[in-house]
């Protein structure tokens, strides 16, 4: 018999689900763009949307005409070729941008060639060296190189994925190691350093022994243990240690190939400067960002009935609406960024005048309440964006930091505490470096009360080794 306790029922429930409109999605996407990315998006829209155009910069007063027409009046407007338009959009083809006049800013930055990446270099070398079979293996290995040039997949995994033998993979790997900067393609630090040792044709047995068998002790600064195991003096070990630190690279790809990310000098979205009274102010960096508007000719053409076919009229209306939404999204981005930047200036004013010790605890939630937008909107707005200030270039997220209240009741950010911790470590006697407990006590004397584990965490975030590793002999 069927189980009568199990009964199927149909119920109707009302559930509220918040969905974003296409206009909202566009606005959020525009908001999170960096200035350089926004320039590219504007350029693309200007090329693909005939209704969108740049506002002319005011120069000399010129008599206005009733209708502003393009240089070549589109007498064929009623015969718009939608198939060609769609084909361009589908293929992702964008014509090369053309300068509108000779006075447009031709910054040298626009003409500087992009640096060749490590992957591009290795692939180019491989194509000149190997057959198609080995090229496939090589490209797979290149795709599995880390940012600093190490191979992050085992030969066994690669052979299984490519359905080839491990010997074939290893053979191509050795070739990559010869083609690239010495150490690239290494599977661990030992191999990386030893490849460099062989390339230098160095004849220093202590250096070779440390690289092959005592890197862990070297990392822990146990120089006396290394000297005892190698039956050499502490001076010889110290000299070998200095050679390794000075002449060898743990990240060969970074040294030989500065990638676009490493070489990237950000174009700030916000610029802070002083006014004539010496007061700080912020403004949006709009260099290279044209003011946009809808083309008056097309707008007036749409208002005249009977001039266009239904397809042409529908197309122009769609493009006109898209242009309006695009312009509004850019303006909303502008207003939101300026509001956030002004609040940062107000909240962190002392930092800009006095330095990092005066950076205050500051949260995205506080800013969202002040600006009147959701926290996620603030988070999108500040992500990967930079502010140029009299104290240097800062990513906007730098100003949002947690903190603590000192014994005197003064608010300080974690960044200001870390700066104080760095100062203490820099000023210590390197033969007797401060332990984390000692740093806790010294911070307390300056009114900063922190647990030892917090000091340890901050020290590690600053890249400061432990006391045993900082000790010099």
């Amino acid at each position: 018999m069927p189980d009568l306790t199990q009964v199927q029922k149909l119920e109707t429930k009302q559930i509220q689900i918040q969905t974003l409109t296409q206009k909202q999605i566009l606005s959020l996407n525009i908001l999170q763009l960096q200035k350089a990315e926004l320039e590219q998006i504007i350029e693309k829209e200007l090329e693909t949307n005939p209704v969108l155009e740049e506002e002319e910069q005011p120069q000399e007063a010129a008599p206005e005409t009733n209708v502003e027409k393009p240089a070549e009046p589109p007498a064929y407007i009623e015969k718009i070729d939608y198939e060609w338009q769609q084909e361009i959009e589908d293929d992702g083809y964008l014509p090369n941008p053309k300068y509108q006049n000779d006075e447009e800013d031709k910054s040298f930055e626009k003409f500087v060639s992009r640096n060749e990446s490590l992957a591009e270099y290795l692939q180019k070398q491989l194509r000149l060296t190997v057959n198609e079979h080995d090229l496939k293996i090589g490209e797979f290995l290149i795709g599995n190189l880390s940012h600093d040039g190490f191979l992050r997949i085992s030969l066994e995994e690669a052979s299984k994925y490519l359905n080839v033998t491990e010997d074939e993979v290893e053979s191509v790997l050795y070739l990559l190691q010869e083609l690239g900067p010495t150490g690239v393609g290494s599977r661990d630090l030992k191999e990386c350093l030893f490849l460099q040792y062989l390339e230098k044709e160095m004849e220093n047995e202590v250096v070779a022994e440390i690289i092959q068998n005592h890197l862990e002790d070297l990392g822990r600064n146990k120089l006396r243990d290394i000297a005892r195991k190698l039956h050499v003096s502490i001076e010889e070990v110290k000299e070998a240690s200095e050679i390794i630190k000075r002449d060898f690279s743990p990240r060969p790809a970074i040294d030989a190939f500065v990638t676009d990310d490493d070489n990237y000098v950000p174009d700030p979205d916000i610029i802070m400067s002083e006014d004539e009274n010496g007061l700080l102010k912020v403004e949006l960096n709009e260099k290279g960002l044209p003011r946009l508007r809808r083309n008056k000719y097309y707008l007036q053409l749409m208002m005249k009935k009977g001039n266009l076919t239904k397809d042409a009229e529908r197309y122009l209306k769609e493009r006109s609406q898209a242009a309006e939404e695009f312009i509004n999204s850019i303006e909303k981005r502008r207003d939101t960024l300026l509001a956030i930047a002004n609040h940062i200036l107000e909240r962190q004013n002392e930092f800009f005048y006095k330095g990092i010790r005066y950076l205050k605890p500051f949260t995205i939630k506080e800013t969202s309440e002040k600006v009147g937008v959701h926290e996620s909107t603030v988070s999108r707005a500040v992500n990967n964006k930079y502010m140029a200030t009299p104290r240097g270039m800062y990513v906007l997220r730098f100003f949002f930091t947690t903190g603590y209240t000192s014994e005197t009741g003064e608010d300080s950010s974690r960044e200001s505490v870390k700066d104080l911790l760095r100062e203490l470590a820099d000023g210590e006697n390197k033969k007797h470096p401060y332990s984390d407990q000692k740093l806790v006590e010294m911070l307390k004397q300056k009114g900063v009360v922190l647990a030892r584990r917090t000091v340890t965490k901050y020290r590690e975030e600053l890249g400061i080794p432990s006391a045993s590793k900082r000790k010099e002999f």
Side-chain angles (χ1 to χ4, degrees), residues 310-334:
K310 290 184 178 180
D311 285 344
E313 184 177 359
R314 183 174 65 251
Y315 173 77
L316 286 180
K317 284 183 178 179
E318 290 174 354
R319 295 292 84 197
S320 177
Q321 182 179 352
E324 183 178 14
E325 291 176 358
F326 187 71
I327 293 170
N328 290 339
S329 295
I330 291 176
E331 289 301 314
K332 189 172 182 179
R333 174 187 183 274
R334 182 179 187 275

Side-chain angles (χ1 to χ4, degrees), residues 118-136:
L118 173 65
E120 291 169 340
Y121 171 80
L122 290 175
Q123 287 172 351
K124 183 170 67 177
Q125 298 300 314
L126 268 184
R127 293 190 184 99
L128 300 173
T129 310
V130 302
N131 55 36
E132 288 295 324
H133 176 267
D134 288 347
L135 179 61
K136 179 181 177 182

Side-chain angles (χ1 to χ4, degrees), residues 67-133:
V67 179
E68 192 176 59
K69 294 187 178 183
E72 296 182 8
Y76 51 85
I77 186 64
E78 61 184 28
K79 299 179 181 179
I80 293 178
D81 191 336
Y82 295 97
E83 288 76 19
W84 173 246
Q85 176 71 24
Q86 190 64 43
E87 183 177 346
I88 292 176
E89 293 177 354
D90 290 346
D91 289 348
Y93 169 78
L94 293 175
N96 290 327
K98 295 180 174 59
Y99 289 109
Q100 300 301 316
N101 55 61
D102 293 336
E103 296 181 2
E104 183 165 350
D105 177 30
K106 297 180 176 63
S107 170
F108 282 108
E109 294 174 358
K110 296 181 179 180
F111 299 94
V112 175
S113 60
R114 295 170 63 88
N115 289 336
E116 186 176 43
S117 70
L118 173 65
E120 291 169 340
Y121 171 80
L122 290 175
Q123 287 172 351
K124 183 170 67 177
Q125 298 300 314
L126 268 184
R127 293 190 184 99
L128 300 173
T129 310
V130 302
N131 55 36
E132 288 295 324
H133 176 267

Side-chain angles (χ1 to χ4, degrees), residues 138-187:
E139 289 180 337
F140 178 79
L141 294 178
I142 292 170
N144 282 279
L145 292 178
S146 67
H147 179 65
D148 45 9
F150 285 90
L151 183 64
R152 296 309 185 193
I153 189 172
S154 69
L155 299 183
E156 180 183 5
E157 290 175 307
S159 66
K160 287 181 179 179
Y161 184 89
L162 296 170
N163 195 26
V164 297
T165 67
E166 287 188 37
D167 288 342
E168 290 176 293
V169 176
E170 190 172 40
S171 176
V172 177
L173 175 60
Y174 288 155
L175 179 58
L176 283 177
Q177 291 175 346
E178 292 178 3
L179 293 175
T182 307
V184 164
S186 300
R187 285 153 283 186

Side-chain angles (χ1 to χ4, degrees), residues 7-240:
V7 181
Q8 292 184 339
K9 295 189 298 181
L10 292 175
E11 293 183 354
T12 302
K13 292 183 178 181
Q14 288 186 339
I15 302 176
Q16 285 187 334
I17 301 177
Q18 183 177 6
T19 58
L20 296 176
T21 64
Q22 287 298 115
K23 184 186 300 186
Q24 290 172 319
I25 293 173
L26 173 65
S27 181
L28 290 175
N29 288 338
I30 293 294
L31 177 64
Q32 65 188 9
L33 294 177
Q34 291 178 305
K35 177 177 177 292
E37 295 171 328
L38 182 58
E39 287 182 37
Q40 295 175 1
I41 294 296
I42 289 176
E43 185 176 288
K44 178 180 178 181
E45 287 296 316
L46 286 170
E47 291 171 350
T48 57
N49 190 342
V51 181
L52 188 68
E53 68 175 9
E54 294 184 30
E55 285 188 6
E56 292 183 1
Q57 297 300 321
Q59 294 177 351
E60 297 181 3
E64 291 187 5
T65 56
N66 293 331
V67 179
E68 192 176 59
K69 294 187 178 183
E72 296 182 8
Y76 51 85
I77 186 64
E78 61 184 28
K79 299 179 181 179
I80 293 178
D81 191 336
Y82 295 97
E83 288 76 19
W84 173 246
Q85 176 71 24
Q86 190 64 43
E87 183 177 346
I88 292 176
E89 293 177 354
D90 290 346
D91 289 348
Y93 169 78
L94 293 175
N96 290 327
K98 295 180 174 59
Y99 289 109
Q100 300 301 316
N101 55 61
D102 293 336
E103 296 181 2
E104 183 165 350
D105 177 30
K106 297 180 176 63
S107 170
F108 282 108
E109 294 174 358
K110 296 181 179 180
F111 299 94
V112 175
S113 60
R114 295 170 63 88
N115 289 336
E116 186 176 43
S117 70
L118 173 65
E120 291 169 340
Y121 171 80
L122 290 175
Q123 287 172 351
K124 183 170 67 177
Q125 298 300 314
L126 268 184
R127 293 190 184 99
L128 300 173
T129 310
V130 302
N131 55 36
E132 288 295 324
H133 176 267
D134 288 347
L135 179 61
K136 179 181 177 182
I137 298 174
E139 289 180 337
F140 178 79
L141 294 178
I142 292 170
N144 282 279
L145 292 178
S146 67
H147 179 65
D148 45 9
F150 285 90
L151 183 64
R152 296 309 185 193
I153 189 172
S154 69
L155 299 183
E156 180 183 5
E157 290 175 307
S159 66
K160 287 181 179 179
Y161 184 89
L162 296 170
N163 195 26
V164 297
T165 67
E166 287 188 37
D167 288 342
E168 290 176 293
V169 176
E170 190 172 40
S171 176
V172 177
L173 175 60
Y174 288 155
L175 179 58
L176 283 177
Q177 291 175 346
E178 292 178 3
L179 293 175
T182 307
V184 164
S186 300
R187 285 153 283 186
D188 54 35
L189 181 60
K190 181 193 296 187
E191 183 179 15
C192 173
L193 297 180
F194 195 66
L195 285 174
Q196 294 175 59
Y197 178 84
L198 295 176
E199 190 268 339
K200 295 176 186 296
E201 298 182 352
M202 187 176 291
E203 296 182 1
N204 188 319
E205 293 184 3
V206 178
V207 171
E209 279 290 334
I210 292 176
I211 289 174
Q212 291 185 299
N213 302 307
H214 302 286
L215 282 180
E216 187 174 342
D217 286 338
L218 180 64
R220 294 178 178 176
N221 206 30
K222 294 184 176 182
L223 303 189
R224 295 189 186 279
D225 289 352
I226 297 174
R228 188 183 69 255
K229 293 174 183 178
L230 297 181
H231 306 290
V232 297
S233 67
I234 184 68
E235 287 74 21
E236 289 178 276
V237 174
K238 187 175 180 181
E239 181 185 355

Side-chain angles (χ1 to χ4, degrees), residues 262-277:
D262 296 315
N263 201 34
Y264 176 58
V265 177
D267 193 5
D269 286 270
I270 304 294
I271 296 177
M272 180 180 293
S273 59
E274 290 187 357
D275 63 16
E276 60 276 5
N277 298 317

